[in-house]
Amino acid sequence: MLNIVLVEPEIPQNTGNIARTCACIGARLHLVEPMGFRLTQRNLERAGCDYWDEVDIVQWPCANAFFEAHGADELHLFTGQARRSFADASYGDEAFLVFGRESRGLDLRLVEAYANRCVRIPMREGLRSLNLSNAVAVAAYEALRQQGWPQLR
C-alpha cells in the first residue's frame, strides 16, 4: 500500500483534499503532529471531505516518532531543496511519500538527514511550490503509474 505522510500539516482543507485522494487511490494517510488544526468532525466537514471513513489514517505524535518507526523504510521526501526529480525515483509497493507543512516544507534537519531520499517536483524558477494537495496528487499518481495502477480501474 502506498503511504502518504503529512508532517505538521497546517490547513485542514488541504488535508481534506489529500484524504480524498488517498481514499480514491487506496493509500494510507499518516498525519504527523503538531497540526495546525484538530481532527474534529467540524473541521473535517469544513475541509469538505466526506471520504474520511474510506481512509486508513495513522496519527503520529511527532516527526521523531514517525522517522524512528519508518526511517529504514522506502522514504521519498518531497522538497524544493532536492536536485533529483521525483520522476527519476522508483517507487515500490510500500513507498512512503513524505511532505512538509504548507508554510515552510520539511525541516532542514530532515532534509539533511535523508538527503539521498529527497526529490522535487520540477517547476518554473522563482516560484516557491505547488499547493500541498496538488503536489501529493502529482507524486502519488506517478508512484501508482510505476506500480502498474494496483487495484485501480
Side-chain angles (χ1 to χ4, degrees):
M1 173 181 287
L2 186 64
N3 294 275
I4 305 298
V5 183
L6 304 182
V7 178
E8 302 178 9
E10 299 167 320
I11 302 172
Q13 292 82 355
N14 281 337
T15 302
N17 288 339
I18 293 164
R20 184 179 187 128
T21 297
C22 288
C24 290
I25 65 175
R28 181 175 293 122
L29 178 59
H30 297 258
L31 299 175
V32 179
E33 296 185 27
M35 297 187 292
F37 56 93
R38 292 197 316 237
L39 287 180
T40 63
Q41 189 63 35
R42 180 172 170 256
N43 280 341
L44 299 179
E45 287 172 2
R46 278 184 34 211
C49 184
D50 54 353
Y51 285 62
W52 285 98
D53 292 341
E54 298 292 327
V55 183
D56 181 10
I57 298 175
V58 180
Q59 286 186 259
W60 296 91
C62 62
N64 286 343
F66 172 82
F67 285 97
E68 284 176 17
H70 294 289
D73 292 333
E74 182 188 336
L75 301 176
H76 301 275
L77 284 72
F78 285 74
T79 173
Q81 300 173 44
R83 295 184 183 193
R84 185 169 62 129
S85 169
F86 80 108
D88 295 332
S90 295
Y91 302 94
D93 295 344
E94 298 290 324
F96 288 80
L97 311 183
V98 182
F99 298 84
R101 54 184 106 42
E102 290 91 339
S103 64
R104 44 185 214 269
L106 292 168
D107 287 342
L108 184 58
R109 69 175 178 81
L110 292 174
V111 171
E112 290 173 347
Y114 296 94
N116 62 335
R117 301 185 202 185
C118 290
V119 295
R120 68 179 293 124
I121 298 173
M123 63 187 70
R124 290 177 41 214
E125 186 70 34
L127 299 178
R128 191 185 50 187
S129 65
L130 293 172
N131 173 277
L132 180 60
S133 63
N134 292 335
V136 168
V138 166
Y141 272 85
E142 172 59 17
L144 294 169
R145 183 194 67 78
Q146 288 185 19
Q147 296 170 9
W149 308 108
Q151 301 177 4
L152 301 180
R153 57 176 183 99

